[in-house]
Amino acid sequence: MLEYSARMRISEDVSSGEIQKRINEVLDMVELTEHKDKLIKSLSGGQKKRASIAVELLGDPGLFFLDEPTSGLDPGTEESLMINLKNLSKQNNKTVIMVTHTTQNLHLCDKVLLMGKGGKVCFFGSVPECLKFFGTDSLTEIYNMVAEDKDVEKWSDLYYRRFGVKQHWSKNQEKKTVTIKREPFFKQLSILISRYMLLIKNDTQRLLMILLQPILIGLLLSFVASDTVFEIYNSSKSILFALSCAGIWMGLFNSIQEICKERIILKREYMANLRLDAYVVSKFAVQLLISMIQAILITAVFVITVGKPESGVLFGSSVPELIVTMCLTIFSSAGIGLIVSSISRNTDKAMTVAPFLLIIQLLFSGILFELNDVTEKISYLTVSRWSVAALGVTSNLNELPSAGGIVRSFENVFEYTSGRLGSAWAVLGAFVIICGTASALLLRNVSKDSR
């Protein structure tokens, strides 16, 4: 984590040796050296807090603002973290300003600013001075006195009268804009892709699901496939529709949680120097690789267990065309999943949308129901329509006889021409570009997320 964060934040001209040296220094500052080879998920709550602080220390800032860094920690861990922050301030010449609602370890702070309702300053000074001012030896009692007293004006006025300090407020203070220098696009892109792939590699359960899912789905399709696939129109169209739906599901499953599950990290990195365009492109780049692998696996199993069309319209063999179509189907569906993930604030909300998206693909594919006028126009916006169209062109569905010798009309969408196949592929590719652009635009307000 620290290495990738350092590579994102530190200038390109800094060598890898210097980066490692800085990481070791930071680990020593937060007393995590002995845990440097552990995964973040294996750390305790207090250690995770310190690891988060370590990320910010990489850039060697002189000032820290921490928002309730001890929240959710047990008393022992809280004290350990507070001592660590005190040492960070004294030994490494850092100024640490923190907001907290816990009072047990406030004696470790040099100064305390006590605020009442409405943001009124009720006291500012050292802890001994605070105890003397309120006439008690308990900081917890002071906290309760100020929190429970509706008339905080008396404490505020008493403080200003006793210490002779006047409060200065200006409604027209000059606002200063801070410009954040962002590293080059391709540098961040390579780092983000590398980090994303490492995360997938370390998540063994998810990696197995990515690899096994297309194989298992391909086998399940073979169980329900008719013996007349690629010989009779009806059975061929049905199995191709099922194959398309499988690709759509895999794409959604691959990506729908990818951004929302790390939204807090994204917000922090974006407020530092992360480029959203590099971040989104890194997600799509890795999803493309996953889509290619899954397309090859599911097509291979499908061809071996079910069969394949006699020939393709572009490559002579139908197998490459099936792989390309399935890859674009999975990839464009992953793009839709990334849009949902960009909007959602947590993974649970994202997953509730997945079934709805799949139902839309089923209803407006043009396979289950006959579409006319408005519904047909809606179908142009679905991945399923173009995916089934491409699969149908490769399979030359128009030339296959119907079951029972029923005469049917020629369907333009399955016209056996390279132009028809190419247009279906182009639309699926356009979905990817549109989804990527939309994801980047939707994430622009990530810095304004509430806690």
Side-chain angles (χ1 to χ4, degrees), residues 196 254-255 258 283-291 331 334:
Y196 188 17
N254 289 341
S255 65
E258 287 308 289
K283 294 295 183 187
F284 274 84
V286 176
Q287 286 299 321
L288 174 59
L289 177 61
I290 293 173
S291 300
F331 192 31

Side-chain angles (χ1 to χ4, degrees), residues 328-362:
L328 288 172
T329 301
I330 298 170
F331 192 31
S332 53
S333 301
I336 296 173
L338 287 173
I339 287 183
V340 176
S341 195
S342 299
I343 299 172
S344 306
R345 297 300 175 88
N346 58 63
T347 56
D348 291 337
K349 290 181 179 179
M351 287 305 295
T352 58
V353 180
F356 177 71
L357 293 174
L358 194 58
I359 288 173
I360 290 177
Q361 302 297 326
L362 295 174

